[in-house]
């Protein structure tokens, strides 16, 4: 008993140390923005807050709907009156993990950063756990976790929050593999839960993972074991289908309703080229960084070198052989798919055949992101290679002390060869300063009415929608539907309205469009259009009445009211009937005046 207790305490201590290491590495990634806890968000190369603020709004909507029993979950308050607008982009229900942070602090920015840190730490935990499952040395497993925390392709798109958590992929690999080797009802439930979690974290990652996972499992599956456990396998498939379908089927139905698809040219432009898989980013310490435009999708030469060692050594070990082949297939298949239409066999482009067969792929834009799976597979193989090198060092050096020192150096080199880029920080507005006008709208808006916020996005670039995501961020204070919006897809009705506003300003035609969209309030940022300009507009059918002024943030709220509906026939009849009466009143007035 004392020996078992000591082993348990030792394992617990080692696990705690590993988690602490992952926390430190995660903090290093986002430390600059933690110094400005409420006023900045980490972003990508664009340097704008558009995508981070949009994901902040997504966190709010998930928390808000959870408090209402997920009623109206897909009918998010953007792009009014379009239906199913939350399906236009990543729903990310897993962000509910940080709901307690939001409830405790009242800050969506802090909740966003908590989710970011939690995602990075769990990436390391699940990577290390997966490596330990296959008897990779503890230090090498720790190194694998650290490399996944600093996953190169992920940190260079830090503004895309939904792509940072890859631990759902790692868990699905682990659970699916364990179930295939020894199928039980318990393992079936765990595998289905892991797969569902991956989709709850990111539908994009879940789709890509399934496409690559199925052929890799079919090749490495022990068929005799699978035949004996067909009932358990069926349970796993059914549970996973039900869990994933609950999220994916409504999204697919809404996408089909709007007929959203990507153009072939766009998909080709956002696919990798073969040389991109070998290119190093500018932060690379080992190897020659690239300065040419294009994707930099190599995980690092040191990792690749030890991955080759892991393949060679692992294939010689019967217990690891299937796992090595599985990872190798994951790397090859995902690497080829990352090329998208740029993969050609003569004049044939396999991507379009696959996209027509696999549901959801026609809506995919950034095909190069299959490289997430490629880099993860290489890192896991590198951990096996490091572990094998450690065994050889122990045999030659006749002891673990010096070999562990050398292994530590190798692990550190693998981790540091591609340090995280310095995150660009985007300033975010102080939401609390906007409570006054938002509270007015929340209090005075009638049921079914919407809000239009001006200015609209000036164009179609991500940077242009910075103002739109700010309106959405302020919208978390009142929760009323906006005709504005930002997402992965846009309804045509929004583009029509955006073009009208940006080309002509507030005209009678624009106000008619607002009215047809049930707009009750027009929120105008001063400087876009002052009060005198509004008063001088030649409005015939509608009018704007100033209802609330917020001098602190220079925002005015106007009520849109319909005063007259023009109809030439009716107007002629009324004029004909009223004219004699008007003439008579005028004559009486003159007589009285005399």
């Amino acid at each position: 008993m004392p020996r078992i207790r000591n082993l348990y305490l030792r394992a617990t201590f080692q696990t705690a140390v590993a988690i602490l290491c992952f926390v430190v590495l995660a903090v290093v990634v986002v430390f600059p923005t933690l110094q400005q806890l409420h006023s900045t968000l980490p972003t990508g190369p664009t340097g704008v807050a558009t995508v981070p603020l949009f994901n902040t709004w997504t966190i709010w909507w998930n928390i808000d709907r959870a408090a209402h029993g997920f009623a109206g979950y897909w009918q998010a308050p953007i792009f009014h009156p379009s239906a199913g607008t939350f399906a236009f982009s990543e729903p990310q229900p897993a962000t509910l993990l940080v709901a307690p942070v939001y409830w405790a602090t009242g800050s969506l920015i802090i909740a966003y950063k908590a989710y970011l840190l939690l995602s990075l730490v769990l990436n390391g935990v699940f990577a290390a756990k997966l490596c330990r499952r296959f008897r990779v040395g503890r230090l090498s497993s720790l190194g694998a976790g650290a490399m996944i925390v600093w996953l190169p392709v992920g940190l260079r798109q830090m503004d895309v929050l939904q792509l940072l958590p890859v631990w759902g992929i790692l868990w699905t690999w682990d659970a699916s593999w364990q179930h295939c080797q020894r199928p039980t009802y318990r393992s079936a439930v765990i595998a289905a839960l892991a797969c569902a979690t991956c989709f709850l974290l990111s539908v994009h990652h879940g789709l890509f993972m399934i496409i690559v996972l199925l052929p890799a499992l079919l090749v490495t599956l022990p068929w005799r074991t699978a035949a004996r456990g067909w009932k358990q396998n069926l349970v796993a498939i059914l549970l996973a289908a039900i869990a994933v379908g609950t999220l994916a089927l409504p999204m697919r139905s809404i996408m089909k309703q709007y007929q959203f698809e990507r153009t072939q040219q766009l998909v080709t432009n956002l696919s990798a080229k073969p040389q991109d898989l070998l290119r190093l980013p500018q932060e690379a310490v080992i190897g020659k960084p690239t300065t040419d435009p294009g994707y930099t999708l190599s995980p690092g030469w040191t990792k690749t070198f030890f991955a080759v060692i892991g393949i060679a050594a692992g294939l010689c070990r019967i217990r690891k052989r299937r796992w090595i082949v599985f990872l190798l297939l994951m790397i090859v298949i995902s690497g080829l798919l990352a090329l998208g239409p740029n993969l050609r066999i003569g004049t044939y482009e396999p991507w379009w055949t696959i996209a027509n067969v696999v549901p959801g792929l026609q809506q995919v834009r950034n095909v190069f992101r299959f490289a997430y799976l490629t880099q993860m597979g290489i890192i896991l193989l590198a951990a096996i290679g490091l572990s094998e090198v450690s065994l050889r060092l122990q045999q030659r050096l006749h002891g673990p002390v010096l070999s562990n020192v050398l292994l530590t150096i190798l692990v550190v080199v693998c981790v540091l060869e591609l340090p995280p880029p310095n995150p660009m920080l985007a300033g975010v507005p102080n939401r609390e300063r906007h409570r006054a006008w938002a509270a007015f709208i929340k209090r005075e808006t009638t049921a079914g009415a919407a809000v239009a916020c001006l200015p609209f996005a000036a164009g179609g670039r991500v940077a242009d929608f910075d103002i739109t995501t700010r309106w959405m961020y302020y919208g978390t204070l009142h929760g009323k539907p906006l005709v504005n919006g930002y997402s992965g897809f846009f309804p045509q009705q929004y583009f029509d309205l955006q073009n009208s506003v940006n080309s002509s300003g507030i005209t009678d035609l624009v106000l008619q469009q607002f009215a047809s969209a049930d707009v009750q309030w027009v929120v105008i940022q001063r400087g876009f259009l002052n009060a005198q300009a509004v008063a001088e507009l030649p409005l015939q059918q509608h009018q704007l009445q100033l209802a609330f002024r917020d001098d602190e943030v220079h925002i005015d709220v106007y009520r849109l009211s319909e005063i007259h509906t023009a109809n030439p026939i009716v107007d002629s009849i009324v004029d004909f009937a009223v004219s004699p009466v008007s003439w008579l009143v005028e004559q009486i007035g003159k007589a009285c005046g005399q």
Side-chain angles (χ1 to χ4, degrees), residues 475-498:
T476 62
L477 293 170
H478 57 71
K480 302 303 178 182
L482 304 177
V483 297
N484 313 65
Y486 176 80
S487 69
F489 290 95
F490 293 78
Q492 185 59 45
Q493 183 178 15
Y494 168 80
F495 285 128
D496 295 339
L497 186 56
Q498 180 193 35

Side-chain angles (χ1 to χ4, degrees), residues 448-471:
V451 181
C453 298
L454 304 178
F456 269 54
R461 300 175 305 163
V462 173
D464 294 327
F465 284 93
D466 177 78
I467 183 62
T468 302
T469 52
R470 289 171 185 262
W471 290 127

